[in-house]
Amino acid sequence: MQMDSWAARPAWRRWAAGARRTALIILTAAAGAVTAAGATAAAAADPPMPALPQPLALREAFELALRHNKEVQVADLTAAADRERVTQAHGDFDPRLFGEAAQGAADQPGPADDSDRLSHGLAAAGLRQRLTTGTTWEAASEWDYSDRDGAGSDGFPQHGTGARVTLRQDLLKGFGRDPNRAGIRVAQNTWRSSREGSRDTRIVTLLDVEAAYWGLFYAQADLGVRRKQLDRANRLVAVAESQVRVGQVAPIEVTRARSSAAAQAVAILDAQSRVTLLQHRLLRLLGILDPERMPDTVALADAPPGVVDGLTLAQCLEVAWQQRPDCIQAGLNLDSRETRERLARNQCLPSLELYGSLGVSGLDGSRSGSHDDLASGDYGDWEAGLLLEFPLGNRAARGAYRAARYERLRAAVQVQAIRELAVREVADALDELRTAERQIDTAAQSRALAAELLQAEERSFNLGRSDSLDVLNAQAALATSERDEVRARVSYATALANLHAVRGDFLQVKALPVEVAAASETAAGK
């Protein structure tokens, strides 16, 4: 059987086959594009892992945490939103442009069952504004016309123009800048309070980072101490074995030394596990959340700081009252409550509005004629008066004022409570710092004495005057004193950081800027 060739096929079959090939190519390309787009979207959805410097300095850890911590971002966005509400409060005093245009007609009955159609139109525009003194002004101009068809159309069309300036000022309720700017002042206080909330979030976050940093430092130092203790135990095994060979000591001395070395090997495994655990905790605080992307080892560049002299309770409290975010927030809240109380007291007054207007007008059978009359200024008018309004009983305003007064009293009590809390926290933090300072000196002396004791026991054991148990006890005492000295230094570093946190000057001492404050200062100070 002979097979059909491509040329022998009908034209419509050749066209269909070509179309199928073209469609297959297009679908293949589209699938590849979709796959590539999906990979790109997945890569974009997966945030890049923060670069981790090795060794890691404490300031670098701070910067990583601030860059990736979501609570800090939420606090900053809250402050940014409150900053825009200050602009919104200023917007109440923006001038407003208004305009109006209308046209209409009305059929009116006339004599002898005749009807008239009255057509009319209006166009007006102007500008009005409320000032921070409580004054409202308005400048407006208008043009109107009317025309009549049918009986009684004499004197039509008519075109009228006018321009008028109006001023209104309440002489009692809402008079002056203080009640009218109350909304701006409260919005500014709210924004500044949110900014302090952002600063407090930064302090809390970075205090956790520093505690984790020094916790890892201690765990790594503890691992190093245990490794040194294992080396000492292994050296003791070698010395004991040599002494057993010459018959200087009993074989039990070797057993004791080997038992101590084995125990230290187990302790090293536990210490390594703690180091890994604390490394992961620190990395999570820095924004590295995927366990598979965490580095195996985190080298630390900084050591605990030295002792800071000259810290007194009076000086620390003075700093706390000026720098603590909660103290500043309490003061801002009290100021807002006082502002609201003054506004509520002002709203209890009757409304006595002074108003006045001055205008010119023109009227003619043509538009140009009416404008000429307006420009001549021959047809002017003015009006002035007083409008008094006072609700009988005035219970709404008086109730609002009494509520505002109690809220102000509550805010004042909250200020005192927060100041007392600051005293307790600062005093406790300072006591902890001084205790840690004394522990550093004591631990250093203990470590030096333990080192001397170990040297003496090793010499005594080499001379056969003591057994391995004495040496092992001295080794354990030295390892304990070395850990105690590191622990004391880490406790001091943590206590110092906590003192600056409760004083509120943590960011200033660490030379870390509060970015939301710098970015928002101009907008809120309008």
Side-chain angles (χ1 to χ4, degrees), residues 160-220:
T161 54
R164 182 172 300 278
V165 175
T166 304
L167 294 176
R168 293 180 177 274
Q169 173 67 63
D170 200 307
L171 302 179
L172 296 176
K173 181 189 290 187
F175 178 76
R177 291 174 59 88
D178 190 43
N180 288 282
R181 288 182 58 88
I184 295 177
R185 188 179 185 91
V186 171
Q188 288 176 335
N189 287 341
T190 301
W191 169 73
R192 294 188 176 104
S193 180
S194 296
R195 188 179 62 179
E196 292 302 320
S198 175
R199 190 165 67 93
D200 183 64
T201 302
R202 281 173 158 79
I203 291 174
V204 172
T205 299
L206 298 185
L207 183 62
D208 290 341
V209 170
E210 184 161 359
Y213 189 93
W214 297 131
L216 178 58
F217 180 91
Y218 172 77
Q220 292 178 345

Side-chain angles (χ1 to χ4, degrees), residues 268-299:
I268 286 175
L269 294 176
D270 292 339
Q272 289 174 337
S273 177
R274 285 195 299 272
V275 168
T276 302
L277 185 66
L278 292 174
Q279 280 183 174
H280 289 176
R281 180 174 185 271
L282 175 61
L283 293 174
R284 292 189 186 97
L285 289 173
L286 303 185
I288 304 175
L289 304 178
D290 188 357
E292 296 181 356
R293 302 167 68 184
M294 292 181 176
D296 295 332
T297 303
V298 178

Side-chain angles (χ1 to χ4, degrees), residues 39 44 97 163-164 196 223 274 290 331 343 383 409 491:
L97 181 66
R164 182 172 300 278
E196 292 302 320
L223 178 59
R274 285 195 299 272
D290 188 357
L343 176 61
E383 182 183 12
L409 293 174
S491 298

Side-chain angles (χ1 to χ4, degrees), residues 8-84:
R9 294 179 182 179
W12 69 271
R13 293 183 63 186
R14 293 198 302 270
W15 177 87
R20 284 195 299 270
R21 289 184 180 180
T22 303
L24 181 60
I25 293 173
I26 293 174
L27 290 175
T28 303
V34 170
T35 302
T40 303
D46 189 14
M49 183 183 70
L52 187 68
Q54 292 281 15
L56 177 65
L58 182 59
R59 182 180 178 83
E60 294 170 334
F62 287 158
E63 293 172 351
L64 284 172
L66 290 178
R67 195 177 307 136
H68 297 91
N69 187 273
K70 298 302 181 291
E71 292 182 359
V72 172
Q73 295 175 13
V74 168
D76 288 351
L77 291 173
T78 301
D82 288 336
R83 176 195 62 195
E84 297 306 323

Side-chain angles (χ1 to χ4, degrees), residues 272-493:
Q272 289 174 337
S273 177
R274 285 195 299 272
V275 168
T276 302
L277 185 66
L278 292 174
Q279 280 183 174
H280 289 176
R281 180 174 185 271
L282 175 61
L283 293 174
R284 292 189 186 97
L285 289 173
L286 303 185
I288 304 175
L289 304 178
D290 188 357
E292 296 181 356
R293 302 167 68 184
M294 292 181 176
D296 295 332
T297 303
V298 178
L300 303 182
D302 293 335
V307 174
V308 178
D309 298 325
L311 293 175
T312 64
L313 180 59
Q315 179 256 344
C316 290
L317 288 176
E318 186 66 26
V319 173
W321 291 331
Q322 296 178 2
Q323 297 292 335
R324 275 177 67 110
D326 55 351
C327 289
I328 297 176
Q329 287 175 320
L332 292 171
N333 181 53
L334 177 59
D335 184 80
S336 295
R337 295 302 177 183
E338 290 173 346
T339 301
R340 289 191 174 101
E341 182 186 12
R342 291 194 298 268
L343 176 61
R345 182 170 60 246
N346 175 268
Q347 296 302 301
C348 293
L349 298 174
S351 174
L352 181 61
E353 184 180 74
L354 172 67
Y355 64 90
S357 64
L358 180 64
V360 292
S361 61
L363 180 65
D364 196 81
S366 64
R367 181 183 298 179
S368 60
S370 67
H371 282 295
D372 291 340
D373 287 348
L374 178 68
S376 68
D378 295 336
Y379 307 99
D381 66 273
W382 65 271
E383 182 183 12
L386 289 171
L387 176 62
L388 176 64
E389 181 180 355
F390 185 73
L392 298 179
N394 203 19
R395 290 183 296 177
R398 293 181 182 277
Y401 169 64
R402 287 192 293 268
R405 180 173 178 270
Y406 286 125
E407 290 175 352
R408 190 262 303 169
L409 293 174
R410 182 183 63 182
V413 174
Q414 289 174 340
V415 169
Q416 297 174 358
I418 290 176
R419 287 175 68 92
E420 292 176 359
L421 176 64
V423 171
R424 293 193 298 270
E425 291 185 348
V426 170
D428 292 343
L430 191 59
D431 288 342
E432 292 177 0
L433 185 69
R434 289 170 176 169
T435 300
E437 180 180 351
R438 291 191 296 268
Q439 289 175 346
I440 291 177
D441 296 335
T442 304
Q445 296 175 3
S446 176
R447 191 258 311 152
L449 293 174
E452 293 180 4
L453 176 62
L454 177 59
Q455 292 177 357
E457 292 293 349
E458 287 176 342
R459 288 195 299 268
S460 178
F461 180 75
N462 292 335
L463 296 175
R465 298 176 181 174
S466 60
D467 55 23
S468 60
L469 185 59
D470 296 328
V471 178
L472 292 174
N473 289 337
Q475 288 179 354
L478 177 58
T480 300
S481 62
E482 289 174 339
R483 283 193 294 270
D484 289 344
E485 184 178 16
V486 176
R487 184 184 293 109
R489 294 175 59 199
V490 167
S491 298
Y492 183 85

